[in-house]
Amino acid sequence: MTEFWLISAPGEKTCQQTWEKLMVATTRTNNLSTNHKFNIPDLKVGTLDVLVGLSDELAKLDTFVESVVKKVAQYMGDVLEDNKDKVQENLLANGVDLVTYVSRFQWDMAKYPIKQSLKNISEIVSKQVTQIDNDLKARASAYNNLKGNLQNLERKNAGSLLTRSLADIVKKDDFVLDSEYLVTMLVVVPKTNYLDWQKTYETLAEMVVPRSTKQLFEDNDSGLFSVTLFRKAVDDFRHKARENKFTVRDFQYNEEEMKADKEEMTRLSTDKKKQFGPLVRWLKVNFSEAFIAWIHIKALRVFVESVLSRYGLPVNFQAMLLQPNKKNMKKLREVLYDLYKHLDSSAAVIDASMDIPGLNLSQQEYYPYVYYKIDCNLLDFKV
């Protein structure tokens, strides 16, 4: 299970008692969840007015930071293309997998100094993650353009003989060049019509050079044939060829253009390889930064809601991280409700995924204890 429930409950005589009560109710007899203490340091409370404003700001910041974390993760998947199984091993926080990081969470005092006010800490996170978001947009745009241009060129060199580039198929020797009167044309002939072509090509127009056809290439459906004729017969030949289900390709042999196309393909391919390594490293580092910031925002939200809306001052609550056993999630909710219903009699066991007409839960479940969900599965595809 990659889902965690981050909850808090008021300290009994001590916070340790609150923790032990939870452990007895959820693990010692019925294995409903794996639990960890979630360590939130002594943060500066400030005034209640500030906390009220901060509560709304943190909710928005939580949504924004989560969206950036998911964007970076998803883009890592896009960049690794055929190696999507490697995506998960690159999505680490502080060098460890996400489940380990969350379950052993320690506040980063260097990045988010607790002597600062809560508002300042939230602004540090906001600024940091906005920068990551902006950088991601710029880097993704540059890499996607490069990738798109390369794919367009690759598409030109693949596909049906009716549409694909012929530059890598034909050679100079296949053409009569620099002749005032003669021209070599390229014709796509369906495989089933090869015999017809050999029988009729010399008679499709006047002035076709006898025995001048040559098969240059074949794919699954068709063959590419060259034929030499007088320039003045070109239009007539083209028309008659179409009537016989032979397709004349518009192609002029131009060595310079073909060389330029090949060089462009090589350049784009080299550039893509050059950018790939640094981009993956950047994504790895900044995924870690954004994910760590997100979990700190969760910690701030637990702190603010515990003090502001639920348990008041002085600060006395225990934050706890539950990793539910998938089969027992409903039972776990009921046990938690029984354990904490005395805290708020108006809170029922209601899940936002239940559709109850006329009841707007504003996308956030409400329980008698502080609750936030953390889901470490951040990818739309399964790896």
Side-chain angles (χ1 to χ4, degrees), residues 222-261:
S222 315
L224 184 71
F225 290 81
S226 63
V227 60
T228 303
L229 57 150
F230 280 75
R231 288 182 185 276
K232 59 166 80 169
V234 165
D235 289 342
D236 199 22
F237 181 87
R238 194 188 293 274
H239 178 68
K240 285 285 188 347
R242 196 182 305 123
E243 285 179 0
N244 284 272
K245 297 183 181 165
F246 309 137
T247 307
V248 177
R249 285 289 308 263
D250 283 323
F251 184 85
Q252 283 185 318
Y253 186 85
N254 183 323
E255 213 156 9
E256 290 302 311
E257 267 183 33
M258 286 158 65
K259 191 179 168 196
D261 275 359

Side-chain angles (χ1 to χ4, degrees), residues 75 136-149 275:
Y75 196 61
L136 176 65
K137 283 172 191 163
R139 285 168 188 267
S141 174
Y143 190 74
N144 289 349
N145 280 341
L146 188 59
K147 194 166 136 186
N149 291 339
Q275 286 191 26

Side-chain angles (χ1 to χ4, degrees), residues 25 88 110 285 314 371:
Q88 208 71 56
V285 167
Y371 161 78

Side-chain angles (χ1 to χ4, degrees), residues 17-189:
Q17 275 183 310
T18 305
W19 167 250
E20 284 166 4
K21 243 186 177 178
L22 175 83
M23 290 298 286
V24 168
T26 61
T27 64
R28 301 230 169 117
T29 54
N30 46 18
N31 191 28
L32 297 179
S33 58
T34 305
N35 306 332
H36 309 270
K37 281 185 181 177
F38 191 82
N39 297 308
I40 301 175
D42 294 330
L43 299 166
K44 276 191 167 182
V45 176
T47 66
L48 286 180
D49 282 355
V50 170
L51 286 185
V52 170
L54 196 57
S55 180
D56 289 341
E57 281 171 32
L58 285 173
K60 288 174 193 162
L61 190 54
D62 188 348
T63 304
F64 168 65
V65 176
E66 181 181 2
S67 77
V68 173
V69 169
K70 284 183 172 172
K71 267 193 267 185
V72 178
Q74 205 58 45
Y75 196 61
M76 177 79 85
D78 293 348
V79 170
L80 289 173
E81 292 173 26
D82 301 329
N83 295 307
K84 290 199 169 170
D85 53 329
K86 289 193 173 173
V87 176
Q88 208 71 56
E89 67 192 51
N90 280 297
L91 299 181
L92 305 174
N94 255 2
V96 297
D97 66 86
L98 306 184
V99 167
T100 302
Y101 176 79
V102 173
S103 53
R104 296 181 188 166
F105 174 77
Q106 292 294 326
W107 187 274
D108 189 327
M109 302 288 184
K111 274 196 193 108
Y112 312 112
I114 58 171
K115 287 180 181 171
Q116 301 253 13
S117 69
L118 295 177
K119 189 166 177 56
N120 281 4
I121 294 172
S122 77
E123 281 168 0
I124 291 169
V125 172
S126 178
K127 197 173 171 186
Q128 176 198 12
V129 178
T130 300
Q131 185 65 53
I132 291 172
D133 192 34
N134 291 338
D135 285 355
L136 176 65
K137 283 172 191 163
R139 285 168 188 267
S141 174
Y143 190 74
N144 289 349
N145 280 341
L146 188 59
K147 194 166 136 186
N149 291 339
L150 185 58
Q151 281 170 342
N152 286 340
L153 277 180
E154 284 168 346
R155 262 197 295 273
K156 275 188 189 173
N157 289 323
S160 159
L161 275 171
L162 295 167
T163 54
R164 63 164 290 171
S165 165
L166 304 176
D168 60 335
I169 292 173
V170 298
K171 303 187 294 294
K172 192 174 183 178
D173 299 347
D174 298 327
F175 294 84
V176 174
L177 298 169
D178 308 320
S179 166
E180 191 180 337
Y181 300 107
L182 293 174
V183 64
T184 301
M185 301 191 76
L186 300 178
V187 184
V188 179
V189 179

